[in-house]
Amino acid sequence: MKIWQRLAQYLLWFGLALVVAGLVVLVATGEGLAYGFLLPGLVVMGLSLGHLFQRQGWFTNFLGKRSTRMGTNGLVGAIAIVVIFCLTNFLAAQMVVRLDLTETQLYTLSSQTQGVLQNLSQPLTVRIFQGTDDANLEPFLDNYQRLNPRQFRYALVDPNQDIAAARRFNVQSQGEVHLEYGDRTQLVTVLAQGEPLNESLLTNSILRIQGDRQPHFYLLQGHGEPPLDQSPGGLGQMVQLLESQNYQVSPLNLIQNPVLPPDAEAIALIAPQTSLLPEEVNLLQQHLENQGSLLLFLDPQTDPALDNLLDDWGLSLDQHLILDGINRAEFLGLGQSSLLVTEYGAHPITAALTNRMSIYQDVRPLLFDASETIQGTPILSSDAETWAESNPEIPDPTFDPPGDRQGPIPFGWALEKQNPEATMETIRLVAIGNSTFVTNGWLGQYHNSDVFLNTVNWLAKVENAPLAIQPKAAQNRRLNLGRWQIMAIAWLAPIIFPLGGVGAAIFCLWQRR
Amino acid sequence: MLILNNIVAIFRRELQSYFFSPLAYIFAALLWLLGGIFFLTLLIGPQGIITFVATQEQMGGELPPVDVASEFLRAFFGVLGVLVLFLLPLLSMGLYAEERKQGTLELLATSPITNWAVAVGKLLGVLTFFSVLLLPMIIWELIIFTGAEPAFPLGLLLLPHLGLLLLVAAILSLGMFISSLTESSLVAAVLTFGLVLLLWLLDLLGDRLPGVLGAGLKHLSLLRHYNYFLAGILDSSSVVLLLSYSVLGVVLTAQSIEALRWTRR
């Protein structure tokens, strides 16, 4: 027996040595070899501890003092148990087997995401600035972390408590999701309360922040354009969205400084209220000749005096206003001048938008004369239920030919022409007869932001096109409760069962008496 | 075989004591009342899931796919998880403290039955009693899930129940250990509540601490692992963690009774 006891004593130290060696290997290399030490070590420790505890006399020899013998025995035993508890869970956390039992595999990441995460060369941190916990968020982000635990980290930050972090990332509202990759930061999205984080969005953001190129997007100013802040009718959300997609956004005033910035890949003229100076138009034409891209959002009842430039592209502005004959935006409290668009032209900008609704208020038609040198696609059009009203000022306008024109009427064009000096490159221009859809409050409606972002990406010739990750959606399931089900629950749950419990308690008391 | 018989004997004695105890039925009534109110409110109350989805649908526009049954189950079990946190210390407080008070603990401690067999028997008894209390809730769930369109898969229905039982076993086991340390049931209940609350909130504490320590504390959080079950994920590390809390409670209880035996000698 004594031999066994001595052996168990030595085995305990041997097991401990194996566990320590395993931990050192794990910390140093993180490789599977560590478990070759850890697992046998734990087993040996467990067996020897078990044997030693069974033999109560072991601690007598170990400690010598009889009075403290059993108390110490219990304490050492308890500590050993807690240590084994921690080690067991440490190992279990390293070798996770996870089954996603949701019907639509909500928590299983796509192969594209796995590829993106494997290619991270620097640490990437996702920060979610949100005061409240969300049960969905952590299992989702844990999946990301599991794919590359060395480089991917995430943190749920309460912006009211960690003010330094909130200031560093310029957090404006609850729910903002930010990426940090090396010295770069990027806003991914702003989550509404309880809104899940989308895999497609997060993975594409990770892909984008890894990209080297940061296109510069200039917003022409000086003609009464909407302000670039968060005020109603402003473009603050649009700027925020562009910056979140790794664009550099700057205002550009060609009146004060009539020089084109050398890095201007795309210039946007959004809702000018007054005419541009001829010199400005010349500079814009020059920008296009330099293979730059131009984005025009031109509202009805305005004249930007761009005729020369538009003529070159076969475009002309129409003074009509497109009205919806059956007022489909009425359920949103909007009038006939609001258009809901679900059908788009066949073009890279709108390829992924089929059956996805976007909404526009106060839309002007844009006319395009086809030519051989310019390839034009009507990306946005009203449908057959609309008409172009020639006199929108009158109350309750109706369709009156010949002044009015029956829909469908195109109001958004994507134009492309070959640069005569460089055979491979094309020059791109997008003109849309509406600007409200990108203003604060409207940009987040339906798929307005997708229409805008796809347009800007096409104009800026962003090469790393977003990965087509199918968004995971929950099974669409309803609980259709009949009257009997509701009545049964209403009686059983809060009344009958609790009363039954009370009744049983009273019966027990009565029986005891 | 003898040990198994001992465990079964203790288990039967413990379970019988619950079914003849008015306090246990008061506990059941309280659990069913609170659970029932939450069940009804989360289902068809003004802020309930069915009302919420119906309102969204009436407003028109695009509503992303919603699994009403899953969302309800998750919300209900989320509340149930918090509810048991408050109620279970009431169930575990007397496991050993009452024996101490009545002087029967010495008999148990000096009996030929090993301490851990007693602890296992007691834990199984109280866990079985609690499982019986869940039966009415399963009846309520079955009533409403007959209205699920399309039908709700059984696996997804069982997973939150499994998570709850593992959570309850962990809490009761730790509560049993604390009960073995004191003569006062009230002290045991308060200490258990404090300990379980701490384990529940380790997640938040882990967020505040950097590095391995933070990650380790987060991993030990009960809330985090329970949430995986509610989300529909069966994670081996969550099962191991919750089970190991139960084992920890049993072994610590046995150690504590062992220490008691020697200090009283």
Side-chain angles (χ1 to χ4, degrees):
Chain A
M1 263 318 183
K2 277 208 161 175
I3 295 170
W4 281 113
Q5 198 161 323
R6 292 188 79 175
L7 191 64
Q9 235 170 315
Y10 292 129
L11 277 178
L12 176 67
W13 295 112
F14 178 61
L16 189 67
L18 276 178
V19 170
V20 171
L23 286 176
V24 171
V25 174
L26 191 71
V27 172
T29 65
E31 285 174 8
L33 172 73
Y35 303 115
F37 289 102
L38 276 173
L39 280 177
L42 277 178
V43 171
V44 170
M45 267 182 79
L47 287 175
S48 50
L49 269 177
H51 181 79
L52 288 171
F53 284 128
Q54 207 180 356
R55 312 289 310 166
Q56 295 287 341
W58 181 66
F59 276 100
T60 320
N61 302 329
F62 186 65
L63 292 170
K65 285 185 181 176
R66 196 178 170 84
S67 57
T68 56
R69 190 183 64 186
M70 293 329 297
T72 318
N73 189 352
L75 187 69
V76 172
I79 292 171
I81 290 156
V82 172
V83 169
I84 291 173
F85 166 81
C86 291
L87 285 174
T88 309
N89 280 294
F90 174 72
L91 283 180
Q94 303 302 312
M95 298 178 287
V96 176
V97 179
R98 175 176 278 215
L99 296 176
D100 180 357
L101 296 179
T102 55
E103 289 159 285
T104 49
Q105 300 288 292
L106 278 175
Y107 300 100
T108 305
L109 297 175
S110 64
S111 55
Q112 292 104 314
T113 297
Q114 293 179 20
V116 168
L117 286 177
Q118 295 306 331
N119 290 331
L120 289 176
S121 56
Q122 298 179 63
L124 178 119
T125 309
V126 181
R127 283 185 180 77
I128 295 135
F129 289 90
Q130 190 162 281
T132 50
D133 272 335
D134 180 358
N136 289 316
L137 221 45
E138 285 201 52
F140 174 75
L141 288 167
D142 278 344
N143 278 345
Y144 272 77
Q145 196 165 41
R146 201 166 294 115
L147 287 174
N148 191 347
R150 288 176 159 265
Q151 303 288 30
F152 183 93
R153 291 180 196 112
Y154 72 89
L156 303 173
V157 188
D158 184 346
N160 298 321
Q161 289 196 354
D162 195 345
I163 295 163
R167 201 169 289 157
R168 189 156 80 89
F169 288 89
N170 191 24
V171 175
Q172 304 287 327
S173 57
Q174 289 270 346
E176 283 188 17
V177 182
H178 290 263
L179 289 183
E180 185 178 14
Y181 185 67
D183 55 355
R184 288 188 194 176
T185 60
Q186 183 183 311
L187 173 75
V188 178
T189 184
V190 183
L191 295 175
Q193 179 70 37
E195 183 188 348
L197 190 54
N198 179 323
E199 184 194 346
S200 172
L201 190 67
L202 183 60
T203 301
N204 279 312
S205 297
I206 294 171
L207 196 63
R208 210 169 295 117
I209 203 170
Q210 288 178 278
D212 296 329
R213 194 168 150 239
Q214 195 179 20
H216 210 140
F217 197 81
Y218 283 94
L219 299 170
L220 205 59
Q221 301 287 289
H223 320 91
E225 286 89 351
L228 305 181
D229 56 22
Q230 300 292 334
S231 60
L235 298 173
Q237 289 180 356
M238 187 195 87
V239 173
Q240 205 176 19
L241 177 69
L242 284 172
E243 285 174 343
S244 76
Q245 302 299 312
N246 208 26
Y247 280 93
Q248 243 182 303
V249 185
S250 310
L252 174 67
N253 194 321
L254 291 176
I255 305 169
Q256 288 174 346
N257 185 17
V259 180
L260 282 172
D263 60 346
E265 289 179 63
I267 296 178
L269 175 61
I270 297 178
Q273 300 302 308
T274 56
S275 303
L276 274 70
L277 298 176
E279 291 77 17
E280 285 182 281
V281 180
N282 283 341
L283 282 170
L284 290 182
Q285 281 177 307
Q286 199 183 318
H287 164 74
L288 283 167
E289 284 162 14
N290 293 343
Q291 294 182 35
S293 299
L294 188 62
L295 179 65
L296 302 170
F297 290 164
L298 305 172
D299 282 332
Q301 316 292 318
T302 58
D303 182 15
L306 280 173
D307 297 347
N308 280 348
L309 187 149
L310 294 177
D311 281 348
D312 287 350
W313 287 81
L315 278 173
S316 54
L317 301 176
D318 192 317
Q319 295 307 326
H320 289 59
L321 180 73
I322 305 179
L323 296 180
D324 184 0
I326 49 176
N327 201 3
R328 277 162 288 192
E330 195 177 11
F331 75 94
L332 294 169
L334 301 170
Q336 276 187 299
S337 63
S338 298
L339 298 186
L340 298 170
V341 175
T342 50
E343 298 291 332
Y344 304 86
H347 192 270
I349 294 178
T350 48
L353 291 170
T354 311
N355 286 328
R356 298 193 172 184
M357 192 156 78
S358 50
I359 183 164
Y360 309 82
Q361 193 178 38
D362 296 337
V363 181
R364 92 186 295 167
L366 293 178
L367 307 174
F368 171 68
D369 280 334
S371 69
E372 278 183 13
T373 53
I374 298 162
Q375 194 185 340
T377 311
I379 51 171
L380 297 171
S381 290
S382 66
D383 60 21
E385 306 291 342
T386 63
W387 84 92
E389 174 63 46
S390 57
N391 192 5
E393 301 295 320
I394 56 165
D396 298 325
T398 49
F399 175 57
D400 306 306
D404 298 350
R405 289 199 317 276
Q406 185 65 47
I409 301 153
F411 65 92
W413 289 91
L415 308 175
E416 199 171 8
K417 76 174 162 187
Q418 206 73 37
N419 186 350
E421 289 173 13
T423 48
M424 294 304 284
E425 284 290 331
T426 57
I427 309 169
R428 293 174 176 183
L429 182 147
V430 171
I432 294 175
N434 175 263
S435 73
T436 48
F437 83 108
V438 291
T439 55
N440 295 337
W442 286 83
L443 187 68
Q445 299 287 324
Y446 301 105
H447 289 275
N448 285 10
S449 59
D450 291 340
V451 173
F452 173 70
L453 212 53
N454 290 358
T455 303
V456 172
N457 283 340
W458 184 72
L459 284 174
K461 298 169 190 168
V462 172
E463 296 299 332
N464 54 346
L467 295 172
I469 298 170
Q470 283 298 317
K472 300 268 173 60
Q475 169 76 267
N476 206 13
R477 177 180 284 115
R478 295 286 178 273
L479 281 177
N480 302 320
L481 299 187
R483 194 176 155 74
W484 76 268
Q485 283 152 315
I486 291 176
M487 289 305 287
I489 288 301
W491 279 98
L492 282 178
I495 301 169
I496 293 177
F497 275 104
L499 281 181
V502 174
I506 294 170
F507 179 75
C508 267
L509 272 177
W510 177 73
Q511 283 257 308
R512 282 190 179 189
R513 284 193 173 184
Chain B
M1 202 59 196
L2 183 69
I3 291 174
L4 197 65
N5 285 339
N6 289 340
I7 291 176
V8 171
I10 297 283
F11 165 75
R12 287 182 62 179
R13 176 188 150 223
E14 199 66 27
L15 199 58
Q16 272 179 3
S17 73
Y18 284 115
F19 284 108
F20 291 108
S21 156
L23 276 178
Y25 285 110
I26 294 292
F27 176 87
L30 197 63
L31 180 72
W32 290 334
L33 177 71
L34 294 175
I37 290 172
F38 282 119
F39 192 92
L40 207 62
T41 315
L42 291 171
L43 186 70
I44 49 175
Q47 304 291 323
I49 181 85
I50 290 187
T51 321
F52 174 76
V53 172
T55 316
Q56 292 285 315
E57 278 177 339
Q58 278 163 15
M59 280 169 68
E62 277 179 310
L63 186 67
V66 192
D67 188 346
V68 176
S70 270
E71 291 294 324
F72 167 72
L73 205 62
R74 183 185 295 192
F76 178 61
F77 271 81
V79 171
L80 215 52
V82 180
L83 205 60
V84 297
L85 167 69
F86 285 94
L87 294 181
L88 286 181
L90 299 179
L91 212 54
S92 68
M93 65 183 185
L95 281 171
Y96 275 93
E98 280 301 311
E99 306 256 14
R100 260 183 194 245
K101 211 170 165 184
Q102 290 166 10
T104 49
L105 189 59
E106 274 77 4
L107 289 178
L108 264 184
T110 51
S111 73
I113 306 175
T114 55
N115 293 327
W116 69 266
V118 175
V120 169
K122 275 179 172 284
L123 181 65
L124 285 179
V126 69
L127 191 62
T128 308
F129 175 69
F130 184 84
S131 311
V132 173
L133 301 193
L134 286 184
L135 286 178
M137 298 183 188
I138 294 174
I139 295 173
W140 310 340
E141 285 161 28
L142 290 179
I143 289 174
I144 64 157
F145 284 157
T146 51
E149 186 63 47
F152 195 70
L154 189 66
L156 274 182
L157 186 63
L158 290 179
L159 203 56
H161 291 87
L162 174 69
L164 185 70
L165 280 183
L166 287 173
L167 177 79
V168 165
I171 295 177
L172 286 175
S173 183
L174 294 172
M176 178 170 74
F177 165 58
I178 288 176
S179 173
S180 73
L181 297 175
T182 171
E183 263 181 36
S184 161
S185 295
L186 188 70
V187 171
V190 171
L191 286 180
T192 305
F193 177 70
L195 175 70
V196 174
L197 194 66
L198 179 74
L199 293 179
W200 193 266
L201 298 178
L202 276 182
D203 208 22
L204 296 178
L205 194 64
D207 275 337
R208 303 278 175 275
L209 294 171
V212 185
L213 185 64
L217 284 180
K218 271 175 85 115
H219 185 77
L220 294 178
S221 155
L222 289 174
L223 176 74
R224 184 186 176 81
H225 294 278
Y226 181 55
N227 277 340
Y228 283 142
F229 285 93
L230 303 197
I233 299 169
L234 187 60
D235 188 305
S236 60
S237 70
S238 299
V239 176
V240 169
L241 183 93
L242 292 173
L243 277 179
S244 64
Y245 269 125
S246 306
V247 173
L248 182 71
V250 167
V251 179
L252 286 178
T253 307
Q255 284 291 105
S256 129
I257 301 301
E258 187 70 24
L260 178 87
R261 185 199 292 208
W262 290 103
T263 50
R264 292 277 168 107
R265 264 191 179 183

